[in-house]
Amino acid sequence: PVNETGTTKPFFVTTPIFYVNASPHIGHLHSIVLSDVLARYAKLRHPSRPVFLTTGTDEHGLKIQQAAKGKGKGEKEFCDDVSMRFRDLARKANIDNDVFIRTTEPRHISAVQHFWSRLVASGDIYKSTHSGWYSISDETFFSASQVEKRDGKMVALETGNEVTWEEEENYKFRLSRYVPQLRKWLERPGVVYPENQRLNLLNQLDTLEDLSVSRPASRVRWGVPVPGDETQTVYVWVDALVNYLTVLGYPEKTHGWPVDVHVVGKDIVKFHALHWPALLMSAALPPPNHILAHAHWTMNHTKMSKSLGNVIDPFSALDHFTPDGLRWYLLRVGGSLSSDADFSLEGVEVQYKLLADQMGNLLSRMCSDKILGKVEEDGIGMSDLGEGEKRLSGEREIWERDNEMDILLSDMKIRWEERMEVYGVSKACEGIMEVVASANRLFTSLSPWSTSPAKATRAIMYSYNSLRLSAILLQPIIPDKSSELLDRLGIPVDERKWEDASWSEGIESGMNRPRMVLRRLKEGSLIWRDKKYLWPPLE
Ligand code: ME8
C-alpha cells in the first residue's frame, strides 16, 4: 500500500490513542513503534510523498473518571500527568510522530460534536432504552451470550473483564443499516491485515446490532456532551475514533483522509473495522484504506495489561537496551501479526547480540587493520580489479559463492519491499539477517587475511555492500544504528536513499570500485576513531 505514486495525499498512519488510566507498557510501545516503522518506510520508499503519523491519548469515560478518583485527583490533572508519560515515551523511543492528540483538547471536543451532528443529519441516531452487560475496563456493552459467571463474578468471555448489568436511556446508531456497505468494504482482500482477522469480521456482520453511542451524564460525567442534550455524554469509543479526523483539522480540513493505515492491537479491531467505517459512511466520509491488527505481547503467556499489572516498563527497557535495541526486538520477535509473543528481557538481549554479532562483527572484521592494511600494502585496493580478477582466480567454488552473494545482493531490496508492503516487518528483518550471515560466511571462506590480496579485496567488496544495503533498508527499523553504520562505512547522507540500496546501480556508478570503497572505509574509520563499539556490550 505504501507503493503508490502520483498522489499529493500524505501517507497517513495512526496508532491507537491510549487510555490514560495507567502508565504505558511495552504493548503500547509496540503499536507506536510499528506505526513509526511504516511511516519511516513510506518516507524512504517515496521521499517526495508527505507522510503524516499521529498518536495520542484517550482521556474520557468512566474508566478514566474512576482512575482519577482512585488517585484522589481531578480528572484533568490526572490526565495531564499520564498523557505526558505517553508523550515522553514516544520521544524516548525515537518516534517521528507529527501530532500528539489528546481527546481533552477543545479542538477535539468540537470535532466530536460536529461529527455527531453529521450522524444525526443522516438519520442514523435515535433514542432508546438500552440494557446489557457493561465492562468499564473495555468501555463496551456485551450481550447476554457474550458473558459468563466466573468465581462468583460476571465477566466478558472475550476479555475476561468484569461486567455489570446496566439499564439506561441512551442514543443508538443505526449500525445494522450499514451491513451491506461494510460487507462490500470488507470483501476487498487486504483491507484488514492479517487475513484471518478480515474473515472473522465478515462472519460477525450477520449478527451486528445497532450501537449504543451515548451514556447518561448522571453515570458518565467525564466526556463530550451530546450536542443539544446535556443529559447524555458521547460514548467514549465514538469520541476516541474521531481523533483520527481531529488531527487533520476536521471539520474545516480533511486533506489526508482516508487514513492509509490504522495500526491497532487485535483487541480493538472490531471498533476500527466495524464501528468506525460505518460511522464514517454515515458522516459521508470514506472508510479507512487499511487496518493492521497486530497480536499481543504476553508475560508468561498471559496478555500484558494495565489492569492485570503484569507489565514491563518501557522506559527502563529503553534505558537499558537503547531505543534501537528494543525496537529491533519488538519488530523482529513480535512483528508477526497473527501470533502472540512472550516478552522476556533475556530475549531482548539475545536478539541484540545476534544483531551485533552479525552486523557489528562483519564490520569490524572488514575494517580490521590487518585487512585494510593488506589491501593497501599490496596496492590491490588501489587498482580497479573486480570482475576480471574474479574470473581469473580459477577457484570455482569461491566463484560460485560470489555468484550466490551477487544474487542475494541483487534481490535484497525487492525482497525487502515485497515483505514490507504486506506489513511483514519481522520477515523483512529476517531477510536482511540472512544476507549478512551469508556475507559473514563468504568472508570466512575467502580468508582474506591469509590469501591473495585479490580475495581480500573481494571480501571487502561483498561485506561493504551487504552492510551498506542492510543499513539503508534498516533505516526505518533501527534509525540510530543504521546511521552510525552508514557513517562508519563512509557513506554520505545523500547516498542513503531508496535508489542507493542497489547492488547493480552501485557497480554502474562506480560505488563498488575497490578504490572508492577503501577510501570510504578509511574515512569512515576516521570518524569513528574514538568510538570503540558500534554495538556497545550490554552491562
Ligand atoms: O484500547 N500487546 O486503549 P488502550 C500488544 N483507548 N499491544 C498492546 C498490548 C499488548 N499486551 N496491550 C495494549 C484503547 N496494546 C483505546 C483505543 S483508539 C481510537 C482507542 C496496544 O490503552 C494495542 O495496540 O487499552 C491495543 O490495541 C492498545 O494498546 C490498547 O490500548
Side-chain angles (χ1 to χ4, degrees), residues 16-19 25 27-28 30-31 58 63 237 240-241 243-244 264-268 272 294-297 303-306:
I17 53 168
F18 304 102
Y19 287 129
H25 63 70
H28 305 122
H30 183 80
S31 305
D58 185 355
K63 176 157 150 161
W237 262 104
L241 288 162
N243 94 84
Y244 301 132
V264 299
K266 63 181 179 182
D267 52 324
I268 56 172
H272 285 80
H294 63 74
H296 288 146
W297 281 105
K303 185 189 169 214
M304 209 186 272
S305 91
K306 289 179 273 206

PDB file of all heavy atoms in Angstrom, residues 16-19 25 27-28 30-31 58 63 237 240-241 243-244 264-268 272 294-297 303-306, ligand 1:
ATOM      1  N   PRO A  16      -3.256   3.592  17.881  1.00  0.00           N
ATOM      2  CA  PRO A  16      -4.438   3.828  18.716  1.00  0.00           C
ATOM      3  C   PRO A  16      -4.110   4.988  19.645  1.00  0.00           C
ATOM      4  O   PRO A  16      -2.932   5.268  19.890  1.00  0.00           O
ATOM      5  CB  PRO A  16      -4.576   2.535  19.532  1.00  0.00           C
ATOM      6  CG  PRO A  16      -3.697   1.527  18.884  1.00  0.00           C
ATOM      7  CD  PRO A  16      -2.626   2.289  18.180  1.00  0.00           C
ATOM      8  N   ILE A  17      -5.124   5.661  20.159  1.00  0.00           N
ATOM      9  CA  ILE A  17      -4.826   6.612  21.234  1.00  0.00           C
ATOM     10  C   ILE A  17      -5.088   5.869  22.542  1.00  0.00           C
ATOM     11  O   ILE A  17      -6.070   5.139  22.670  1.00  0.00           O
ATOM     12  CB  ILE A  17      -5.627   7.929  21.101  1.00  0.00           C
ATOM     13  CG1 ILE A  17      -7.121   7.667  20.964  1.00  0.00           C
ATOM     14  CG2 ILE A  17      -5.098   8.746  19.929  1.00  0.00           C
ATOM     15  CD1 ILE A  17      -7.955   8.933  21.126  1.00  0.00           C
ATOM     16  N   PHE A  18      -4.173   6.024  23.481  1.00  0.00           N
ATOM     17  CA  PHE A  18      -4.151   5.127  24.638  1.00  0.00           C
ATOM     18  C   PHE A  18      -4.905   5.710  25.824  1.00  0.00           C
ATOM     19  O   PHE A  18      -4.865   6.908  26.078  1.00  0.00           O
ATOM     20  CB  PHE A  18      -2.696   4.828  25.004  1.00  0.00           C
ATOM     21  CG  PHE A  18      -1.942   4.258  23.823  1.00  0.00           C
ATOM     22  CD1 PHE A  18      -1.083   5.063  23.079  1.00  0.00           C
ATOM     23  CD2 PHE A  18      -2.151   2.953  23.406  1.00  0.00           C
ATOM     24  CE1 PHE A  18      -0.427   4.557  21.956  1.00  0.00           C
ATOM     25  CE2 PHE A  18      -1.507   2.434  22.290  1.00  0.00           C
ATOM     26  CZ  PHE A  18      -0.643   3.238  21.565  1.00  0.00           C
ATOM     27  N   TYR A  19      -5.576   4.822  26.552  1.00  0.00           N
ATOM     28  CA  TYR A  19      -6.254   5.239  27.781  1.00  0.00           C
ATOM     29  C   TYR A  19      -5.206   5.696  28.780  1.00  0.00           C
ATOM     30  O   TYR A  19      -4.145   5.069  28.904  1.00  0.00           O
ATOM     31  CB  TYR A  19      -7.022   4.065  28.394  1.00  0.00           C
ATOM     32  CG  TYR A  19      -8.270   3.664  27.653  1.00  0.00           C
ATOM     33  CD1 TYR A  19      -8.484   2.336  27.302  1.00  0.00           C
ATOM     34  CD2 TYR A  19      -9.243   4.600  27.329  1.00  0.00           C
ATOM     35  CE1 TYR A  19      -9.639   1.947  26.634  1.00  0.00           C
ATOM     36  CE2 TYR A  19     -10.399   4.212  26.656  1.00  0.00           C
ATOM     37  CZ  TYR A  19     -10.591   2.894  26.316  1.00  0.00           C
ATOM     38  OH  TYR A  19     -11.726   2.508  25.666  1.00  0.00           O
ATOM     39  N   HIS A  25       2.912   0.678  28.813  1.00  0.00           N
ATOM     40  CA  HIS A  25       3.749  -0.519  28.913  1.00  0.00           C
ATOM     41  C   HIS A  25       4.249  -0.932  27.534  1.00  0.00           C
ATOM     42  O   HIS A  25       3.976  -0.253  26.538  1.00  0.00           O
ATOM     43  CB  HIS A  25       3.028  -1.647  29.666  1.00  0.00           C
ATOM     44  CG  HIS A  25       1.775  -2.157  29.008  1.00  0.00           C
ATOM     45  ND1 HIS A  25       1.779  -2.879  27.844  1.00  0.00           N
ATOM     46  CD2 HIS A  25       0.467  -2.056  29.373  1.00  0.00           C
ATOM     47  CE1 HIS A  25       0.535  -3.209  27.522  1.00  0.00           C
ATOM     48  NE2 HIS A  25      -0.294  -2.701  28.432  1.00  0.00           N
ATOM     49  N   GLY A  27       3.390  -3.148  25.461  1.00  0.00           N
ATOM     50  CA  GLY A  27       2.370  -3.374  24.424  1.00  0.00           C
ATOM     51  C   GLY A  27       2.043  -2.084  23.685  1.00  0.00           C
ATOM     52  O   GLY A  27       1.932  -2.066  22.459  1.00  0.00           O
ATOM     53  N   HIS A  28       1.882  -1.004  24.424  1.00  0.00           N
ATOM     54  CA  HIS A  28       1.601   0.284  23.779  1.00  0.00           C
ATOM     55  C   HIS A  28       2.773   0.700  22.902  1.00  0.00           C
ATOM     56  O   HIS A  28       2.607   1.161  21.781  1.00  0.00           O
ATOM     57  CB  HIS A  28       1.343   1.380  24.825  1.00  0.00           C
ATOM     58  CG  HIS A  28       0.262   1.023  25.784  1.00  0.00           C
ATOM     59  ND1 HIS A  28       0.456   0.962  27.135  1.00  0.00           N
ATOM     60  CD2 HIS A  28      -1.024   0.659  25.574  1.00  0.00           C
ATOM     61  CE1 HIS A  28      -0.668   0.600  27.724  1.00  0.00           C
ATOM     62  NE2 HIS A  28      -1.580   0.401  26.794  1.00  0.00           N
ATOM     63  N   HIS A  30       4.768  -1.132  21.429  1.00  0.00           N
ATOM     64  CA  HIS A  30       4.804  -1.939  20.203  1.00  0.00           C
ATOM     65  C   HIS A  30       3.981  -1.300  19.081  1.00  0.00           C
ATOM     66  O   HIS A  30       4.452  -1.182  17.948  1.00  0.00           O
ATOM     67  CB  HIS A  30       4.301  -3.356  20.491  1.00  0.00           C
ATOM     68  CG  HIS A  30       4.380  -4.244  19.296  1.00  0.00           C
ATOM     69  ND1 HIS A  30       5.553  -4.849  18.908  1.00  0.00           N
ATOM     70  CD2 HIS A  30       3.462  -4.587  18.377  1.00  0.00           C
ATOM     71  CE1 HIS A  30       5.338  -5.539  17.805  1.00  0.00           C
ATOM     72  NE2 HIS A  30       4.077  -5.404  17.453  1.00  0.00           N
ATOM     73  N   SER A  31       2.750  -0.881  19.399  1.00  0.00           N
ATOM     74  CA  SER A  31       1.912  -0.250  18.368  1.00  0.00           C
ATOM     75  C   SER A  31       2.561   1.035  17.860  1.00  0.00           C
ATOM     76  O   SER A  31       2.505   1.336  16.664  1.00  0.00           O
ATOM     77  CB  SER A  31       0.549   0.133  18.932  1.00  0.00           C
ATOM     78  OG  SER A  31      -0.077  -0.973  19.497  1.00  0.00           O
ATOM     79  N   ASP A  58      -6.371   8.858  24.947  1.00  0.00           N
ATOM     80  CA  ASP A  58      -7.826   8.744  25.015  1.00  0.00           C
ATOM     81  C   ASP A  58      -8.186   9.007  26.478  1.00  0.00           C
ATOM     82  O   ASP A  58      -7.846   8.206  27.345  1.00  0.00           O
ATOM     83  CB  ASP A  58      -8.172   7.307  24.597  1.00  0.00           C
ATOM     84  CG  ASP A  58      -9.660   7.045  24.482  1.00  0.00           C
ATOM     85  OD1 ASP A  58     -10.446   7.941  24.814  1.00  0.00           O
ATOM     86  OD2 ASP A  58     -10.016   5.925  24.065  1.00  0.00           O
ATOM     87  N   LYS A  63     -13.818   4.774  32.872  1.00  0.00           N
ATOM     88  CA  LYS A  63     -12.573   4.150  33.301  1.00  0.00           C
ATOM     89  C   LYS A  63     -11.587   5.200  33.825  1.00  0.00           C
ATOM     90  O   LYS A  63     -10.965   5.023  34.863  1.00  0.00           O
ATOM     91  CB  LYS A  63     -12.020   3.426  32.068  1.00  0.00           C
ATOM     92  CG  LYS A  63     -10.695   2.773  32.203  1.00  0.00           C
ATOM     93  CD  LYS A  63     -10.628   1.679  31.138  1.00  0.00           C
ATOM     94  CE  LYS A  63      -9.257   1.395  30.639  1.00  0.00           C
ATOM     95  NZ  LYS A  63      -9.221   0.058  29.993  1.00  0.00           N
ATOM     96  N   TRP A 237     -15.951   5.523  22.910  1.00  0.00           N
ATOM     97  CA  TRP A 237     -15.339   4.974  21.693  1.00  0.00           C
ATOM     98  C   TRP A 237     -15.606   5.854  20.466  1.00  0.00           C
ATOM     99  O   TRP A 237     -14.745   5.990  19.598  1.00  0.00           O
ATOM    100  CB  TRP A 237     -15.800   3.537  21.446  1.00  0.00           C
ATOM    101  CG  TRP A 237     -14.771   2.564  21.949  1.00  0.00           C
ATOM    102  CD1 TRP A 237     -14.826   1.814  23.088  1.00  0.00           C
ATOM    103  CD2 TRP A 237     -13.498   2.277  21.333  1.00  0.00           C
ATOM    104  NE1 TRP A 237     -13.677   1.078  23.223  1.00  0.00           N
ATOM    105  CE2 TRP A 237     -12.849   1.342  22.160  1.00  0.00           C
ATOM    106  CE3 TRP A 237     -12.851   2.722  20.186  1.00  0.00           C
ATOM    107  CZ2 TRP A 237     -11.588   0.824  21.875  1.00  0.00           C
ATOM    108  CZ3 TRP A 237     -11.578   2.217  19.892  1.00  0.00           C
ATOM    109  CH2 TRP A 237     -10.966   1.280  20.737  1.00  0.00           C
ATOM    110  N   ALA A 240     -13.310   8.715  20.888  1.00  0.00           N
ATOM    111  CA  ALA A 240     -11.907   8.358  20.618  1.00  0.00           C
ATOM    112  C   ALA A 240     -11.623   8.202  19.127  1.00  0.00           C
ATOM    113  O   ALA A 240     -10.608   8.683  18.617  1.00  0.00           O
ATOM    114  CB  ALA A 240     -11.560   7.069  21.350  1.00  0.00           C
ATOM    115  N   LEU A 241     -12.520   7.530  18.417  1.00  0.00           N
ATOM    116  CA  LEU A 241     -12.264   7.265  16.991  1.00  0.00           C
ATOM    117  C   LEU A 241     -12.158   8.558  16.185  1.00  0.00           C
ATOM    118  O   LEU A 241     -11.375   8.653  15.233  1.00  0.00           O
ATOM    119  CB  LEU A 241     -13.365   6.352  16.427  1.00  0.00           C
ATOM    120  CG  LEU A 241     -13.287   4.895  16.899  1.00  0.00           C
ATOM    121  CD1 LEU A 241     -14.615   4.173  16.684  1.00  0.00           C
ATOM    122  CD2 LEU A 241     -12.157   4.140  16.211  1.00  0.00           C
ATOM    123  N   ASN A 243     -10.688  11.069  16.866  1.00  0.00           N
ATOM    124  CA  ASN A 243      -9.353  11.690  16.945  1.00  0.00           C
ATOM    125  C   ASN A 243      -8.637  11.638  15.601  1.00  0.00           C
ATOM    126  O   ASN A 243      -7.852  12.514  15.258  1.00  0.00           O
ATOM    127  CB  ASN A 243      -8.503  11.015  18.029  1.00  0.00           C
ATOM    128  CG  ASN A 243      -7.608   9.903  17.478  1.00  0.00           C
ATOM    129  OD1 ASN A 243      -6.514  10.151  16.981  1.00  0.00           O
ATOM    130  ND2 ASN A 243      -8.086   8.673  17.549  1.00  0.00           N
ATOM    131  N   TYR A 244      -8.925  10.582  14.827  1.00  0.00           N
ATOM    132  CA  TYR A 244      -8.237  10.407  13.541  1.00  0.00           C
ATOM    133  C   TYR A 244      -8.619  11.498  12.540  1.00  0.00           C
ATOM    134  O   TYR A 244      -7.915  11.710  11.553  1.00  0.00           O
ATOM    135  CB  TYR A 244      -8.545   9.027  12.959  1.00  0.00           C
ATOM    136  CG  TYR A 244      -8.147   7.862  13.855  1.00  0.00           C
ATOM    137  CD1 TYR A 244      -9.031   6.810  14.126  1.00  0.00           C
ATOM    138  CD2 TYR A 244      -6.871   7.800  14.426  1.00  0.00           C
ATOM    139  CE1 TYR A 244      -8.665   5.731  14.931  1.00  0.00           C
ATOM    140  CE2 TYR A 244      -6.499   6.724  15.238  1.00  0.00           C
ATOM    141  CZ  TYR A 244      -7.403   5.697  15.479  1.00  0.00           C
ATOM    142  OH  TYR A 244      -7.028   4.643  16.275  1.00  0.00           O
ATOM    143  N   VAL A 264      -3.499  -1.085  14.969  1.00  0.00           N
ATOM    144  CA  VAL A 264      -4.212  -1.351  16.234  1.00  0.00           C
ATOM    145  C   VAL A 264      -3.846  -2.740  16.754  1.00  0.00           C
ATOM    146  O   VAL A 264      -3.362  -3.578  15.993  1.00  0.00           O
ATOM    147  CB  VAL A 264      -5.760  -1.307  16.048  1.00  0.00           C
ATOM    148  CG1 VAL A 264      -6.218   0.056  15.586  1.00  0.00           C
ATOM    149  CG2 VAL A 264      -6.242  -2.384  15.085  1.00  0.00           C
ATOM    150  N   GLY A 265      -4.096  -2.954  18.034  1.00  0.00           N
ATOM    151  CA  GLY A 265      -3.960  -4.305  18.568  1.00  0.00           C
ATOM    152  C   GLY A 265      -5.217  -5.090  18.212  1.00  0.00           C
ATOM    153  O   GLY A 265      -6.279  -4.501  17.972  1.00  0.00           O
ATOM    154  N   LYS A 266      -5.114  -6.411  18.191  1.00  0.00           N
ATOM    155  CA  LYS A 266      -6.269  -7.214  17.761  1.00  0.00           C
ATOM    156  C   LYS A 266      -7.455  -7.073  18.716  1.00  0.00           C
ATOM    157  O   LYS A 266      -8.582  -7.371  18.343  1.00  0.00           O
ATOM    158  CB  LYS A 266      -5.862  -8.690  17.607  1.00  0.00           C
ATOM    159  CG  LYS A 266      -5.409  -9.337  18.892  1.00  0.00           C
ATOM    160  CD  LYS A 266      -5.006 -10.794  18.663  1.00  0.00           C
ATOM    161  CE  LYS A 266      -4.539 -11.403  19.971  1.00  0.00           C
ATOM    162  NZ  LYS A 266      -4.086 -12.782  19.837  1.00  0.00           N
ATOM    163  N   ASP A 267      -7.206  -6.590  19.947  1.00  0.00           N
ATOM    164  CA  ASP A 267      -8.291  -6.393  20.910  1.00  0.00           C
ATOM    165  C   ASP A 267      -9.282  -5.311  20.476  1.00  0.00           C
ATOM    166  O   ASP A 267     -10.419  -5.301  20.931  1.00  0.00           O
ATOM    167  CB  ASP A 267      -7.714  -6.038  22.304  1.00  0.00           C
ATOM    168  CG  ASP A 267      -6.716  -4.881  22.254  1.00  0.00           C
ATOM    169  OD1 ASP A 267      -5.963  -4.790  21.265  1.00  0.00           O
ATOM    170  OD2 ASP A 267      -6.689  -4.077  23.196  1.00  0.00           O
ATOM    171  N   ILE A 268      -8.833  -4.391  19.621  1.00  0.00           N
ATOM    172  CA  ILE A 268      -9.730  -3.287  19.271  1.00  0.00           C
ATOM    173  C   ILE A 268     -10.021  -3.230  17.774  1.00  0.00           C
ATOM    174  O   ILE A 268     -10.414  -2.193  17.246  1.00  0.00           O
ATOM    175  CB  ILE A 268      -9.201  -1.931  19.790  1.00  0.00           C
ATOM    176  CG1 ILE A 268      -7.789  -1.648  19.275  1.00  0.00           C
ATOM    177  CG2 ILE A 268      -9.199  -1.903  21.312  1.00  0.00           C
ATOM    178  CD1 ILE A 268      -7.305  -0.230  19.617  1.00  0.00           C
ATOM    179  N   HIS A 272     -12.474  -0.584  15.095  1.00  0.00           N
ATOM    180  CA  HIS A 272     -11.892   0.093  13.927  1.00  0.00           C
ATOM    181  C   HIS A 272     -12.412  -0.431  12.600  1.00  0.00           C
ATOM    182  O   HIS A 272     -12.414   0.297  11.615  1.00  0.00           O
ATOM    183  CB  HIS A 272     -10.362  -0.024  13.965  1.00  0.00           C
ATOM    184  CG  HIS A 272      -9.733   0.882  14.973  1.00  0.00           C
ATOM    185  ND1 HIS A 272      -9.678   0.578  16.309  1.00  0.00           N
ATOM    186  CD2 HIS A 272      -9.170   2.113  14.844  1.00  0.00           C
ATOM    187  CE1 HIS A 272      -9.090   1.573  16.958  1.00  0.00           C
ATOM    188  NE2 HIS A 272      -8.771   2.518  16.098  1.00  0.00           N
ATOM    189  N   HIS A 294      -2.271  -6.054  15.019  1.00  0.00           N
ATOM    190  CA  HIS A 294      -1.152  -6.907  15.454  1.00  0.00           C
ATOM    191  C   HIS A 294      -1.558  -7.728  16.667  1.00  0.00           C
ATOM    192  O   HIS A 294      -2.510  -7.407  17.372  1.00  0.00           O
ATOM    193  CB  HIS A 294       0.110  -6.075  15.714  1.00  0.00           C
ATOM    194  CG  HIS A 294      -0.022  -5.071  16.823  1.00  0.00           C
ATOM    195  ND1 HIS A 294      -0.036  -5.421  18.145  1.00  0.00           N
ATOM    196  CD2 HIS A 294      -0.150  -3.724  16.792  1.00  0.00           C
ATOM    197  CE1 HIS A 294      -0.157  -4.325  18.879  1.00  0.00           C
ATOM    198  NE2 HIS A 294      -0.246  -3.280  18.079  1.00  0.00           N
ATOM    199  N   ALA A 295      -0.778  -8.780  16.894  1.00  0.00           N
ATOM    200  CA  ALA A 295      -1.053  -9.667  18.034  1.00  0.00           C
ATOM    201  C   ALA A 295      -0.527  -9.020  19.319  1.00  0.00           C
ATOM    202  O   ALA A 295      -0.051  -7.882  19.306  1.00  0.00           O
ATOM    203  CB  ALA A 295      -0.411 -11.022  17.780  1.00  0.00           C
ATOM    204  N   HIS A 296      -0.624  -9.749  20.402  1.00  0.00           N
ATOM    205  CA  HIS A 296      -0.276  -9.182  21.706  1.00  0.00           C
ATOM    206  C   HIS A 296       1.043  -9.701  22.264  1.00  0.00           C
ATOM    207  O   HIS A 296       1.451 -10.821  21.978  1.00  0.00           O
ATOM    208  CB  HIS A 296      -1.383  -9.511  22.713  1.00  0.00           C
ATOM    209  CG  HIS A 296      -2.642  -8.746  22.478  1.00  0.00           C
ATOM    210  ND1 HIS A 296      -3.880  -9.253  22.716  1.00  0.00           N
ATOM    211  CD2 HIS A 296      -2.839  -7.476  22.007  1.00  0.00           C
ATOM    212  CE1 HIS A 296      -4.800  -8.346  22.415  1.00  0.00           C
ATOM    213  NE2 HIS A 296      -4.189  -7.268  21.973  1.00  0.00           N
ATOM    214  N   TRP A 297       1.625  -8.873  23.092  1.00  0.00           N
ATOM    215  CA  TRP A 297       2.739  -9.321  23.925  1.00  0.00           C
ATOM    216  C   TRP A 297       2.148  -9.935  25.182  1.00  0.00           C
ATOM    217  O   TRP A 297       1.219  -9.371  25.772  1.00  0.00           O
ATOM    218  CB  TRP A 297       3.638  -8.140  24.313  1.00  0.00           C
ATOM    219  CG  TRP A 297       4.547  -7.764  23.202  1.00  0.00           C
ATOM    220  CD1 TRP A 297       4.434  -6.696  22.382  1.00  0.00           C
ATOM    221  CD2 TRP A 297       5.715  -8.477  22.779  1.00  0.00           C
ATOM    222  NE1 TRP A 297       5.449  -6.691  21.464  1.00  0.00           N
ATOM    223  CE2 TRP A 297       6.251  -7.773  21.689  1.00  0.00           C
ATOM    224  CE3 TRP A 297       6.371  -9.635  23.211  1.00  0.00           C
ATOM    225  CZ2 TRP A 297       7.408  -8.186  21.016  1.00  0.00           C
ATOM    226  CZ3 TRP A 297       7.513 -10.054  22.543  1.00  0.00           C
ATOM    227  CH2 TRP A 297       8.021  -9.335  21.470  1.00  0.00           C
ATOM    228  N   LYS A 303      -1.821 -12.157  28.538  1.00  0.00           N
ATOM    229  CA  LYS A 303      -1.732 -10.842  27.905  1.00  0.00           C
ATOM    230  C   LYS A 303      -1.236  -9.786  28.887  1.00  0.00           C
ATOM    231  O   LYS A 303      -1.733  -9.684  30.005  1.00  0.00           O
ATOM    232  CB  LYS A 303      -3.091 -10.409  27.353  1.00  0.00           C
ATOM    233  CG  LYS A 303      -2.982  -9.102  26.573  1.00  0.00           C
ATOM    234  CD  LYS A 303      -4.322  -8.506  26.175  1.00  0.00           C
ATOM    235  CE  LYS A 303      -4.083  -7.097  25.651  1.00  0.00           C
ATOM    236  NZ  LYS A 303      -5.140  -6.167  25.955  1.00  0.00           N
ATOM    237  N   MET A 304      -0.241  -9.049  28.421  1.00  0.00           N
ATOM    238  CA  MET A 304       0.271  -7.959  29.239  1.00  0.00           C
ATOM    239  C   MET A 304      -0.815  -6.894  29.284  1.00  0.00           C
ATOM    240  O   MET A 304      -1.300  -6.472  28.235  1.00  0.00           O
ATOM    241  CB  MET A 304       1.502  -7.397  28.532  1.00  0.00           C
ATOM    242  CG  MET A 304       2.522  -6.794  29.418  1.00  0.00           C
ATOM    243  SD  MET A 304       3.831  -6.033  28.434  1.00  0.00           S
ATOM    244  CE  MET A 304       4.957  -7.381  28.182  1.00  0.00           C
ATOM    245  N   SER A 305      -1.234  -6.512  30.478  1.00  0.00           N
ATOM    246  CA  SER A 305      -2.251  -5.468  30.514  1.00  0.00           C
ATOM    247  C   SER A 305      -2.167  -4.665  31.797  1.00  0.00           C
ATOM    248  O   SER A 305      -1.743  -5.162  32.839  1.00  0.00           O
ATOM    249  CB  SER A 305      -3.644  -6.052  30.314  1.00  0.00           C
ATOM    250  OG  SER A 305      -4.215  -6.367  31.552  1.00  0.00           O
ATOM    251  N   LYS A 306      -2.585  -3.411  31.637  1.00  0.00           N
ATOM    252  CA  LYS A 306      -2.517  -2.483  32.766  1.00  0.00           C
ATOM    253  C   LYS A 306      -3.315  -3.007  33.945  1.00  0.00           C
ATOM    254  O   LYS A 306      -2.876  -2.958  35.076  1.00  0.00           O
ATOM    255  CB  LYS A 306      -3.084  -1.122  32.337  1.00  0.00           C
ATOM    256  CG  LYS A 306      -2.198  -0.389  31.384  1.00  0.00           C
ATOM    257  CD  LYS A 306      -2.789   0.945  30.959  1.00  0.00           C
ATOM    258  CE  LYS A 306      -3.708   0.817  29.765  1.00  0.00           C
ATOM    259  NZ  LYS A 306      -3.817   2.062  28.968  1.00  0.00           N
TER     260      LYS A 306
HETATM  261  O1  ME8 B   1      -7.992   0.449  23.697  1.00  0.00           O
HETATM  262  N1  ME8 B   1       0.474  -6.312  23.340  1.00  0.00           N
HETATM  263  O2  ME8 B   1      -6.557   1.991  24.630  1.00  0.00           O
HETATM  264  P1  ME8 B   1      -5.545   1.063  25.462  1.00  0.00           P
HETATM  265  C1  ME8 B   1       0.476  -5.549  22.241  1.00  0.00           C
HETATM  266  N2  ME8 B   1      -8.190   3.920  24.091  1.00  0.00           N
HETATM  267  N3  ME8 B   1      -0.179  -4.398  22.160  1.00  0.00           N
HETATM  268  C2  ME8 B   1      -0.864  -3.990  23.230  1.00  0.00           C
HETATM  269  C3  ME8 B   1      -0.921  -4.736  24.418  1.00  0.00           C
HETATM  270  C4  ME8 B   1      -0.195  -5.958  24.452  1.00  0.00           C
HETATM  271  N4  ME8 B   1      -0.151  -6.722  25.520  1.00  0.00           N
HETATM  272  N5  ME8 B   1      -1.678  -4.078  25.313  1.00  0.00           N
HETATM  273  C5  ME8 B   1      -2.091  -2.940  24.692  1.00  0.00           C
HETATM  274  C6  ME8 B   1      -7.654   1.592  23.933  1.00  0.00           C
HETATM  275  N6  ME8 B   1      -1.600  -2.888  23.440  1.00  0.00           N
HETATM  276  C7  ME8 B   1      -8.437   2.733  23.358  1.00  0.00           C
HETATM  277  C8  ME8 B   1      -8.067   2.897  21.906  1.00  0.00           C
HETATM  278  S1  ME8 B   1      -8.237   4.155  19.537  1.00  0.00           S
HETATM  279  C9  ME8 B   1      -9.326   5.183  18.817  1.00  0.00           C
HETATM  280  C10 ME8 B   1      -8.795   3.986  21.185  1.00  0.00           C
HETATM  281  C11 ME8 B   1      -1.797  -1.832  22.446  1.00  0.00           C
HETATM  282  O3  ME8 B   1      -4.748   1.996  26.295  1.00  0.00           O
HETATM  283  C12 ME8 B   1      -2.643  -2.329  21.294  1.00  0.00           C
HETATM  284  O4  ME8 B   1      -2.479  -1.503  20.190  1.00  0.00           O
HETATM  285  O5  ME8 B   1      -6.259  -0.033  26.130  1.00  0.00           O
HETATM  286  C13 ME8 B   1      -4.025  -2.136  21.840  1.00  0.00           C
HETATM  287  O6  ME8 B   1      -4.992  -2.131  20.823  1.00  0.00           O
HETATM  288  C14 ME8 B   1      -3.876  -0.791  22.501  1.00  0.00           C
HETATM  289  O7  ME8 B   1      -2.542  -0.804  23.052  1.00  0.00           O
HETATM  290  C15 ME8 B   1      -4.925  -0.587  23.558  1.00  0.00           C
HETATM  291  O8  ME8 B   1      -4.569   0.499  24.341  1.00  0.00           O
END
